[in-house]
Amino acid sequence: MVEDLLVAVAAAGSAGVVYLASAVRVIKQYERGVLFRLGRVSGDVRSPGLNLIIPFVDRLQKVNMQIVTLPVPAQEGITRDNVTVRVDAVVYFRVVDAASALVKVEDYKFAVSQMAQTSLRSIIGKSDLDDLLSDREKLNQGLELMIDSPAVGWGIQVDRVEIKDVSLPDTMKRSMARQAEADRERRARIINADAELQASKKLAEAAQQMAETPTALQLRLLQTVMAVAAEKNSTLVLPIPVELLHFLERGARPSPPEQDQDRDPAPGHTDGGRERYADGTPPLPVTGTGGPSQVPVIDPDGPPQTP
């Protein structure tokens, strides 16, 4: 009797342990549990921790609430300016309503993936090639809005969408390379022309300043000569200023006393007893050997006499 009682107690204990083991469910911190009782959602979403269910009656399904990174396969399409491209992207989303994610859509990951692919092809057809290459932030926002609109009803929130890569045909790459090279050449020519214009203005101002002060021109010439002379393997050609030629020409003329002896005074041109030459200049005084300088007195009716 006692043995039968002990066996019954052991069997009941074992059955209780098995029942308790099948009734206990542990939900992790990043998960939420949706309880289905006889096929219907029962109660609220179960929070993380230890949860008890009725075995063979209840079914607890866990939903991951972490952000899911979903790569979008590369989609080939034609842009608005008739260029064939291949674009791939990545979608970041998470579940905000576990019950809706399980009840309203069969497989929410597959649904988000298909929605992202169709939205990406639509974005490609509405955009230009320049927008795909340079204005990706705007396209990412438009793509996120297109995916997030139907996903809200599934209990899913799209955090962000990023376009990863845009693949172009080889012919288009070569054309874009030639276009970029031509644009850089154009900018280089514009910069060079602008530099020439500024330099010409500065040279005009410098020429005007040197015209007012000729000494500055001579100093600039000497600076240029010094800069050229610093090169050991160069031939220095020194231009002769015009002022130097005038100075040499004046030095080659005869002395003033000889000029006064060779020139004849112009008749009728006197200045207080002193006759002047035709150009209006008075004759220079003649210095004697034994006395002070004497000025000849010229008689208008006869040759000049010395007093």
Side-chain angles (χ1 to χ4, degrees), residues 260 274 283-287 293-296:
D260 294 340
R274 298 179 58 186
L284 296 177
V286 180
T287 305
S293 300
Q294 298 179 358
V295 179

Side-chain angles (χ1 to χ4, degrees), residues 91-167:
V91 181
Y92 301 92
F93 70 93
R94 62 188 182 92
V95 178
V96 294
D97 189 353
S100 299
L102 292 177
V103 174
K104 294 185 178 181
V105 62
E106 180 180 1
D107 187 353
Y108 63 88
K109 292 184 178 180
F110 181 75
V112 172
S113 176
Q114 295 299 314
M115 179 60 65
Q117 294 180 31
T118 55
S119 300
L120 182 59
R121 295 178 68 90
S122 178
I123 285 292
I124 293 174
K126 294 178 181 179
S127 305
D128 295 332
L129 180 60
D130 294 338
D131 296 336
L132 289 175
L133 296 177
S134 60
D135 196 7
R136 292 189 180 182
E137 188 65 28
K138 182 179 179 181
L139 296 180
N140 293 338
Q141 294 177 1
L143 189 59
E144 178 182 349
L145 182 62
M146 294 178 65
I147 300 174
D148 189 60
S149 297
V152 171
W154 304 338
I156 296 172
Q157 179 182 356
V158 178
D159 284 349
R160 62 185 306 159
V161 181
E162 294 287 343
I163 295 177
K164 292 197 300 183
D165 188 23
V166 178
S167 301

